[in-house]
Amino acid sequence: MDIYTIIFLALAVFIFLRLRSVLGQRTGNERPPFDRTAARNALGGAQDNNVVTMPGKVIDQAPLAPTAEPTPPSDRWKGLTEPGTALAQGLDAIVEKDSTFDPRHFISGAKGAYEMIVLAFANGDRRALRDLLSPDVYESFEAAIKERETKEQKTETRFVSIDKAELVGAELRDRTAQLTIRFVSQMISATRDKAGNIVDGSADTVADITDIWTFARDITSRDPNWKLVGTGSAN
């Protein structure tokens, strides 16, 4: 055995001993590897917290939770309208064709849509408005934005509060459900020319605004979103 063979054997023994000291030996008492699936099941099947379900772009329709007993017709729309009114009959007609419809959930989503639309119009955000409005309403909004741009004017709008969102109308036309809401809000709005002078509204005064808007949705469509199809104002 030559000197080089002896050197290589000694080096191999040295490396083996170093690895053994670093990695250790199995004794039979080691903990099993962490099982994420088993841990999730032990916690009741909880999912990872970074998985987020995104809502619809306008007003998404959440299904009603199942109940042990059906709600009596006289109490179905309690807090929204009285039995036998045109509003109650309209809501009944919509629910008959779409059992997942929940007007209270709709009102909550409509408040968010109302603020989004008002601010998008003030900012001239055509892309946002196209997703929120019917083609006819979008055309009228876009014309107003274009006129403002031609005059080199800019509108500044800030919501102070939405004090009320009241359902005042419900109707089913063929496959289309239409819901009308009266919004009572407070906002600050001012339109300035290119020199920064206010030509309409006020940058300091809080104005009381009442808008009456109608939203619609094809209840046979898989798209859960409602779009603005009509606007009116009591101011």
Side-chain angles (χ1 to χ4, degrees):
M1 183 178 294
D2 57 30
I3 185 64
Y4 294 107
T5 301
I6 294 173
I7 291 174
F8 283 131
L9 286 174
L11 183 60
V13 171
F14 173 76
I15 292 173
F16 172 76
L17 293 175
R18 291 288 295 171
L19 287 173
R20 186 175 183 182
S21 65
V22 172
L23 299 178
Q25 304 179 61
R26 296 186 65 83
T27 65
N29 296 320
E30 294 82 12
R31 293 183 178 180
F34 179 67
D35 188 341
R36 292 182 181 273
T37 302
R40 186 182 296 117
N41 292 337
L43 292 173
Q47 300 297 316
D48 293 337
N49 290 332
N50 60 349
V51 179
V52 180
T53 302
M54 298 301 294
K57 294 179 180 177
V58 189
I59 307 172
D60 59 345
Q61 177 62 50
L64 290 171
T67 56
E69 298 180 359
T71 303
S74 59
D75 296 334
R76 174 182 280 179
W77 311 127
K78 187 175 182 179
L80 296 175
T81 187
E82 296 297 324
T85 62
L87 176 56
Q89 293 172 1
L91 293 174
D92 286 338
I94 295 173
V95 170
E96 184 179 351
K97 297 296 183 180
D98 181 6
S99 61
T100 67
F101 172 67
D102 180 356
R104 295 171 181 82
H105 178 82
F106 169 84
I107 292 172
S108 177
K111 290 172 66 176
Y114 174 64
E115 185 169 352
M116 288 173 61
I117 292 169
V118 170
L119 295 180
F121 174 71
N123 296 329
D125 188 345
R126 291 176 171 84
R127 183 175 180 179
L129 291 172
R130 198 182 298 274
D131 290 333
L132 298 165
L133 313 178
S134 70
D136 289 344
V137 175
Y138 174 80
E139 185 177 337
S140 64
F141 274 48
E142 202 274 337
I145 292 173
K146 186 179 294 185
E147 180 181 1
R148 196 168 61 207
E149 291 173 343
T150 300
K151 296 179 179 179
E152 298 184 84
Q153 297 176 345
K154 291 186 177 181
T155 298
E156 305 165 353
T157 298
R158 179 163 55 91
F159 270 88
V160 177
S161 64
I162 299 179
D163 299 324
K164 181 183 292 186
E166 179 186 12
L167 194 61
V168 295
E171 184 179 5
L172 181 64
R173 295 183 178 180
D174 296 327
R175 301 179 306 175
T176 302
Q178 292 192 356
L179 296 172
T180 301
I181 291 189
R182 180 189 292 115
F183 296 100
V184 179
S185 64
Q186 292 186 327
M187 63 181 78
I188 299 172
S189 184
T191 300
R192 299 179 185 271
D193 60 20
K194 64 178 182 179
N197 300 313
I198 295 177
V199 295
D200 187 34
S202 170
D204 304 312
T205 303
V206 177
D208 295 322
I209 306 295
T210 300
D211 286 311
I212 301 173
W213 285 12
T214 299
F215 296 88
R217 173 181 175 265
D218 182 347
I219 60 176
T220 65
S221 171
R222 292 185 177 182
D223 184 354
N225 296 324
W226 298 72
K227 290 195 174 185
L228 180 64
V229 298
T231 63
S233 176
N235 297 93

